[in-house]
Amino acid sequence: MTRNSSIRLSAVVVAALAVAACGSGDDDSSEDDAAATTTESAAEPTVATTAPAPATLPAEAPASTAPPTAPPTAPETTAAPEPEPPAEPMPTIDELNTFAWTETNADAPWSARAGLRVVELDGRLLMMGGRTPNQSTIPGDSQIWADVWASDDGGATWEQLLTGDEPGQWPARAYFQALVKDDAAYVIGGQDYGLEENPFCALLEQGIEPPPGLGIDPDAPCPEFLPTSQFFNDVWRSADGITWEQQTAGAPWDGRAGLSAAVLGDHIYVLAGSTNDDSSIIGPDGPARIYYNDVWRSTDGVEWELVTEAAPWEPRAGAVVVVRDDRMFLLGGEDGFTCSPLPDCDPPYYNDVWSTTDGADWELVTDSAGWSPRPGHVCELVGNQFVCFGGFGLITNPIDMWASFDGAEWTQLAGTPWNAESPEEVKYDFDSVTVLG
């Protein structure tokens, strides 16, 4: 049974939805509870947490191309030293272990779903998009959403702002990205779902060969369905969650789902993701899924520049990106949903951590974090500590929570996400947002 709920962990507000695999497909045979959640901590941290999208930092000064000038004759002044990073984690692991989850809404009015996004804009939560699997034998059959809901009390009550049918609204989608920059919310990329019956199967059964230009092998098994999913590379912006303006209908990066995005400095960064539905959804005869490790950036969502065509980390979807100070961290992800033979194979999941200050030059923080490789998880910045939880496990979903000050050394926390008592209660492909507690 799928339901919507709200839980809050200290300063972390979570919107967690129905089970679905990360990126552009999932196994519809299992569903989990959906939750948009708020919690109170036993001991409030002394450091305010971040907003859902990292706060905008001052823009870096552009490199000058002008010829060098003569040195000034005025006396030299000493530049103020750069502020040093905090010497100690705040809150401490012991303090994090005192945080407790409290459900604030057991059944929110919006439909249970996966692949949604939640941001905090001007003190209110905005929940938007996602997909709800239909009870169907058709692979990937889902309801795709473009609705927008708002909460002014940390997920306890919700107001519908848009149904998704309004003129000028972005098309319905799931597994997209949303963030906040310059007091406006952005919706970026993602996918819808579509399959249609293959009309050539009946012709092949009658001995009629398809036109050669279609590239269909008449001797190969005929796939019952053909994928028609759209993968978006558009960008939309809104100052209130109601009126949306399309920044671009087609950014120069390939349309993709399961992408990652964040604000670093004065730029929106888009990286990773995949296109084409997974074979677990459309079967082995469909187009192969393509994974990305390119990095793009934009100051406004309109004009985009390629930062690097191939970052040093493996191409992937479903990775988490977190910004702390002037550095962006990439954590985990996947380049496939399944492996064989089960249960003795290693799923194609990641638990590495990388960081960068500009999206071009990346440093490997660790090739194997303390937590198991996974997609569909979230990582939040609580004070100056990374806290990761949730996610998909091929055999069982991980029921742990982990914290790290530097991204290299990780400590498992005492509790479980939203007080889960079993792997079946762990959600994936949900979203979370950190707000001031």
Side-chain angles (χ1 to χ4, degrees):
M1 175 176 170
T2 301
R3 63 187 178 89
N4 307 339
S5 60
S6 297
I7 303 174
R8 176 177 165 190
L9 171 62
S10 178
V12 180
V13 178
V14 177
L17 291 306
V19 177
C22 183
S24 56
D26 73 338
D27 179 0
D28 294 336
S29 63
S30 63
E31 292 187 357
D32 203 350
D33 290 345
T37 10
T38 352
T39 77
E40 297 297 333
S41 70
E44 286 293 330
T46 58
V47 177
T49 59
T50 66
T56 304
L57 302 177
E60 296 181 0
S64 173
T65 57
T69 58
T73 57
E76 294 185 2
T77 58
T78 303
E82 291 290 330
E84 295 184 0
E88 297 181 357
M90 295 181 297
T92 66
I93 294 296
D94 288 342
E95 289 171 334
L96 285 173
N97 279 327
T98 67
F99 288 13
W101 292 89
T102 302
E103 187 173 62
T104 61
N105 189 324
D107 191 7
W110 35 269
S111 299
R113 62 190 71 183
L116 75 162
R117 285 291 169 238
V118 180
V119 298
E120 187 269 334
L121 179 65
D122 291 335
R124 65 182 351 202
L125 300 181
L126 297 180
M127 190 288 299
M128 51 195 129
R131 66 179 286 258
T132 302
N134 294 324
Q135 300 301 314
S136 169
T137 59
I138 300 175
D141 185 21
S142 303
Q143 170 71 52
I144 308 299
W145 301 99
D147 52 350
V148 179
W149 295 74
S151 175
D152 294 312
D153 52 14
T157 60
W158 294 86
E159 169 194 1
Q160 187 169 23
L161 302 183
L162 295 173
T163 65
D165 297 325
E166 293 81 2
Q169 167 73 339
W170 37 268
R173 66 192 64 199
Y175 307 112
F176 60 104
Q177 275 297 333
L179 49 79
V180 171
K181 181 181 185 292
D182 297 335
D183 299 320
Y186 287 77
V187 163
I188 304 172
Q191 71 164 105
D192 61 12
Y193 275 88
L195 286 173
E196 61 182 22
E197 292 187 9
N198 189 345
F200 297 105
C201 292
L203 298 178
L204 291 174
E205 290 176 357
Q206 300 173 29
I208 302 175
E209 294 191 4
L214 295 178
I216 298 176
D217 184 356
D219 298 322
C222 184
E224 183 179 0
F225 296 97
L226 296 175
T228 59
S229 300
Q230 298 180 84
F231 290 81
F232 298 107
N233 60 346
D234 54 351
V235 180
W236 297 75
R237 180 183 184 276
S238 174
D240 57 11
I242 300 173
T243 302
W244 292 85
E245 177 184 1
Q246 188 176 64
Q247 301 298 96
T248 178
W253 37 269
D254 291 344
R256 61 190 69 185
L259 68 163
S260 302
V263 176
L264 177 64
D266 193 40
H267 289 89
I268 298 170
Y269 282 80
V270 164
L271 53 154
S274 67
T275 190
N276 294 333
D277 291 309
D278 194 79
S279 60
S280 63
I281 298 298
I282 62 173
D285 299 316
R289 205 167 158 213
I290 300 171
Y291 300 89
Y292 298 99
N293 63 343
D294 52 350
V295 181
W296 296 78
R297 71 179 187 178
S298 171
T299 58
D300 55 10
V302 179
E303 301 294 333
W304 291 84
E305 100 180 85
L306 177 63
V307 179
T308 179
E309 189 173 2
W313 35 268
E314 291 295 323
R316 67 189 67 190
V320 172
V321 168
V322 180
V323 170
R324 185 177 70 184
D325 300 327
D326 62 349
R327 187 168 288 272
M328 180 166 60
F329 292 77
L330 178 141
L331 308 94
E334 52 90 5
D335 60 6
F337 294 152
T338 62
C339 63
S340 62
L342 289 172
D344 300 321
C345 59
D346 293 325
Y349 307 153
Y350 296 98
N351 64 343
D352 52 349
V353 180
W354 296 77
S355 75
T356 181
T357 58
D358 58 8
D361 298 317
W362 291 82
E363 300 176 9
L364 178 63
V365 179
T366 178
D367 60 359
S368 181
W371 36 272
S372 60
R374 64 189 70 177
H377 58 306
V378 302
C379 297
E380 290 289 345
L381 197 60
V382 181
N384 59 20
Q385 293 256 40
F386 300 105
V387 177
C388 298
F389 51 93
F392 179 72
L394 190 56
I395 306 300
T396 59
N397 292 335
I399 195 172
D400 46 7
M401 296 177 61
W402 293 79
S404 174
F405 177 55
D406 57 9
E409 301 295 329
W410 291 83
T411 301
Q412 185 171 356
L413 299 178
T416 62
W418 46 86
N419 305 324
E421 297 181 353
S422 69
E424 291 74 24
E425 296 179 0
V426 173
K427 311 172 198 306
Y428 59 92
D429 287 353
F430 59 103
D431 201 11
S432 64
V433 59
T434 303
V435 298
L436 296 175

